[in-house]
Amino acid sequence: MKTARPKPEPPDRIDRDAYQPAYAQLADILRGQVARGRFLPGDRLPSEAELCRTYQVSPMTVRRAVNILADQDVVRTVQGLGTFVKPLQLGAAAFQLRELQDLFSDPDQVRVKLLDVRMVPAGQGAAAELGLSPGDKAIFIRRLLLVREEPAFYHREYLVYDPGRPVVEAEMEVTSLRGLFSGAGDGLIKGGRLTVEAVLLDEEALGLLAGGPGPAAGLRLEHVFYDFDDRPVSWGWFLCRSDRLRLSTRVGYERAGSGRPGLKRGS
Amino acid sequence: MKTARPKPEPPDRIDRDAYQPAYAQLADILRGQVARGRFLPGDRLPSEAELCRTYQVSPMTVRRAVNILADQDVVRTVQGLGTFVKPLQLGAAAFQLRELQDLFSDPDQVRVKLLDVRMVPAGQGAAAELGLSPGDKAIFIRRLLLVREEPAFYHREYLVYDPGRPVVEAEMEVTSLRGLFSGAGDGLIKGGRLTVEAVLLDEEALGLLAGGPGPAAGLRLEHVFYDFDDRPVSWGWFLCRSDRLRLSTRVGYERAGSGRPGLKRGS
DNA sequence: TAGTGGTCTAGACCACTTA
DNA sequence: AAGTGGTCTAGACCACTAG
């Protein structure tokens, strides 16, 4: 199956009246040339001074365009030598949780069913992750997340119980959970750690997630969150059937300017 | 368990003689202030003009520092309004395959054992992914990747067989596979698509990966690669036991300048 | 209208690499 | 020494938001 591909070959010059700023246009032009194979991995790009002359822009503008490509791992710059096209690196691949975020950003699709909230003595895991002594009080929450009324995620979470900290109450978000994914997060959490791994779903999860009887694999997304004093606030994990969550990404050079979706501001 | 944390409170001024450039220092200062809670999510940062005066740098330098924070999703800039601290967004989390890359970058640790190479008629999946007709010839490869002589990954791959394309031969890398992960990749592959999902390991994989008898969960890393003419070249997947590969990441604000590990050049 | 960020200029000086 | 990228200046003009 060999078909001749039409190559539009864009004009490759800066349009000063365009909506896109000059540095972004130049970055797209160069990225396109790399993607079309005009510059192959290992090749040196024209020097920045040369690019200034070719595209009639100032050094700073060329600079910014090259910086963008460097940030996107398309090229590598070496002082005194030049700018070189980087080879494909599988290890540079980054999987986003965007699907989750998109899901939660539509409040009509997702409903959170609270299964259980109670005070428990912290077990081994919770004590270690939350910096408690085994037996200290913790709040235990079990939730079921329904997507279009179908069970999708099973969530278990332990929250530090400390009357001196209003954090916990505010952070519980018992009914929504949405803030965490789509932002807002009311600003009491400073950061956290996330881990994804494959697990064998246990009986409880299988029952809740409407899986068949037999053994089934699932993804486990574990999380620990910290407040602004670097004290752990919550530890827990989401379980889902493997067909409900899949992480995917692209590597390599693409034509569009959307090499990485997270570039709000220029460089 | 509440302990008083010592807060070093760095000097928060630019050291012109430091190794780090001014824009990076300023970015670290501002990130630190956000991380310490001086600016909370939703707060507005001082205007760029004010930052110029406070830290005695030019507008472009402030600009670059703010751009870095925007790229790292620490702040959001709104024209005409100001720069604001972003709340935590779980969906923005990105999982890297860095562990894999690190693994493969040490050639002493990894050995590839070739289990099988032969020509086969493409099946349903291979035909669809590689743009072939079912029954077209494809090269089928099975590999076992050993880490410190212990089986870690089982790899199955289908390569397009086309005598007119030398790509395949060069890309097979029958014995190493290393190029793909650590770079080099000899420049014949333009890009690809990667997907991670949880699966139940089958008998064959269980046997090869030295798992126990019972059912076990594993991660499946599927890949499709394209050449510079956008033609699919290879389709396949890696299987590993869940305890061999785990994706983890951090979200939120950190003190160090290593918010994202991929920032070679300034902005 | 005043203040904000967004873009861009036309240089300067420095550090580095290669020859 | 010549050429490269790395940083930085001191402004300019524009688009946008608010009161």
Side-chain angles (χ1 to χ4, degrees):
Chain A
M1 183 172 130
K2 290 182 234 175
T3 58
R5 275 172 318 105
K7 289 199 184 186
E9 295 290 343
D12 280 7
R13 54 190 176 75
I14 310 285
D15 175 8
R16 317 305 297 215
D17 301 328
Y19 175 72
Q20 250 190 335
Y23 69 87
Q25 290 185 53
L26 181 52
D28 285 348
I29 288 172
L30 294 175
R31 195 189 301 102
Q33 293 178 344
V34 169
R36 291 201 301 275
R38 170 165 171 187
F39 302 115
L40 291 177
D43 284 1
R44 216 203 69 186
L45 253 50
S47 80
E48 304 196 350
E50 200 171 333
L51 291 175
C52 288
R53 290 192 296 276
T54 306
Y55 296 100
Q56 291 295 302
V57 287
S58 80
M60 276 299 293
T61 303
V62 168
R63 225 61 214 296
R64 202 164 172 183
V66 173
N67 275 341
I68 290 175
L69 297 187
D71 279 358
Q72 295 176 348
D73 279 335
V74 174
V75 301
R76 185 174 66 104
T77 60
V78 184
Q79 202 176 80
L81 273 182
T83 302
F84 302 87
V85 178
K86 283 185 76 167
L88 192 64
Q89 279 198 254
L90 257 200
F95 295 91
Q96 306 267 132
L97 281 185
R98 214 152 268 280
E99 303 170 45
L100 272 190
Q101 185 175 4
D102 294 344
L103 202 66
F104 279 84
S105 62
D106 185 353
D108 294 334
Q109 291 204 332
V110 178
R111 195 164 66 84
V112 178
K113 190 167 151 192
L114 196 60
L115 301 177
D116 202 0
V117 185
R118 60 176 198 270
M119 200 78 78
V120 298
Q124 285 276 12
E129 296 288 349
L130 297 177
L132 303 173
S133 308
D136 280 1
K137 276 183 185 167
I139 299 168
F140 176 55
I141 304 179
R142 295 194 309 134
R143 298 178 175 98
L144 190 61
L145 282 72
L146 307 165
V147 178
R148 284 182 295 273
E149 296 305 314
E150 284 210 10
F153 297 90
Y154 173 39
H155 186 214
R156 296 169 65 106
E157 185 179 24
Y158 294 87
L159 291 165
V160 170
Y161 175 67
D162 181 349
R165 281 203 267 169
V167 181
V168 179
E169 281 299 322
E171 205 52 55
M172 279 176 61
E173 293 232 25
V174 177
T175 52
S176 92
L177 261 188
R178 199 176 339 139
L180 269 188
F181 284 92
S182 55
D186 59 19
L188 291 166
I189 286 181
K190 170 183 161 184
R193 194 168 41 75
L194 299 177
T195 305
V196 170
E197 63 182 329
V199 294
L200 215 52
L201 294 178
D202 58 16
E203 291 289 331
E204 182 189 24
L206 267 179
L208 287 168
L209 297 174
L219 276 185
R220 179 184 134 120
L221 173 64
E222 182 179 342
H223 60 80
V224 185
F225 294 118
Y226 302 90
D227 65 13
F228 274 94
D229 289 322
D230 284 323
R231 294 181 297 190
V233 171
S234 109
W235 171 61
W237 59 92
F238 294 84
L239 289 176
C240 70
R241 297 209 324 258
S242 53
D243 54 346
R244 295 304 305 225
L245 183 60
R246 197 174 281 194
L247 304 173
S248 61
T249 189
R250 307 179 132 273
V251 288
Y253 322 119
E254 293 173 67
R255 299 293 277 277
S258 55
R260 198 163 49 206
L263 289 186
K264 262 71 48 189
R265 256 180 86 160
S267 106
Chain B
M1 183 172 129
K2 291 181 236 174
T3 58
R5 276 171 318 108
K7 289 198 181 185
E9 296 291 341
D12 280 7
R13 54 189 177 73
I14 310 286
D15 175 9
R16 315 306 296 217
D17 300 329
Y19 175 72
Q20 248 190 338
Y23 69 88
Q25 291 185 53
L26 181 51
D28 284 348
I29 288 172
L30 294 175
R31 195 190 301 103
Q33 294 178 342
V34 169
R36 291 200 304 275
R38 169 165 172 187
F39 302 115
L40 292 177
D43 284 0
R44 216 203 70 184
L45 254 52
S47 79
E48 304 196 349
E50 201 171 330
L51 291 174
C52 287
R53 291 192 296 273
T54 306
Y55 296 100
Q56 291 294 303
V57 289
S58 79
M60 276 300 292
T61 304
V62 169
R63 223 55 209 298
R64 202 164 173 182
V66 173
N67 276 341
I68 290 175
L69 297 188
D71 279 358
Q72 294 176 349
D73 279 335
V74 174
V75 300
R76 183 175 67 103
T77 59
V78 183
Q79 204 176 82
L81 274 182
T83 302
F84 301 87
V85 178
K86 282 184 76 168
L88 191 65
Q89 279 197 255
L90 258 199
F95 296 91
Q96 306 267 130
L97 280 185
R98 212 152 271 281
E99 303 170 43
L100 272 189
Q101 185 176 3
D102 293 344
L103 201 67
F104 279 84
S105 63
D106 185 353
D108 294 335
Q109 291 204 331
V110 178
R111 195 164 65 85
V112 178
K113 191 168 152 192
L114 196 59
L115 301 178
D116 201 0
V117 185
R118 61 175 197 271
M119 200 77 79
V120 298
Q124 284 277 11
E129 295 288 349
L130 298 176
L132 303 174
S133 308
D136 281 2
K137 276 181 185 169
I139 299 168
F140 176 55
I141 304 179
R142 294 193 311 134
R143 300 176 172 100
L144 190 62
L145 282 73
L146 307 164
V147 178
R148 284 182 295 272
E149 295 305 315
E150 283 209 10
F153 297 91
Y154 172 40
H155 186 214
R156 297 169 65 104
E157 185 180 23
Y158 294 86
L159 292 165
V160 169
Y161 175 67
D162 181 348
R165 282 204 266 169
V167 182
V168 180
E169 281 299 324
E171 206 52 55
M172 278 176 62
E173 293 233 25
V174 176
T175 53
S176 92
L177 261 189
R178 199 177 338 138
L180 269 189
F181 285 92
S182 55
D186 57 20
L188 291 166
I189 285 181
K190 169 183 162 184
R193 192 168 41 75
L194 298 177
T195 304
V196 171
E197 63 182 329
V199 293
L200 214 54
L201 295 178
D202 59 16
E203 291 289 332
E204 182 188 24
L206 267 178
L208 288 167
L209 296 174
L219 276 185
R220 178 184 133 120
L221 173 64
E222 181 178 342
H223 60 79
V224 186
F225 293 118
Y226 302 89
D227 65 12
F228 273 94
D229 291 321
D230 283 322
R231 294 181 297 190
V233 171
S234 108
W235 170 62
W237 60 91
F238 294 84
L239 289 176
C240 70
R241 297 207 324 257
S242 53
D243 55 344
R244 295 305 303 225
L245 183 60
R246 195 174 285 193
L247 304 173
S248 61
T249 188
R250 304 178 135 274
V251 288
Y253 323 119
E254 294 172 67
R255 299 293 278 277
S258 55
R260 200 164 47 207
L263 288 186
K264 264 70 50 187
R265 254 179 87 161
S267 105

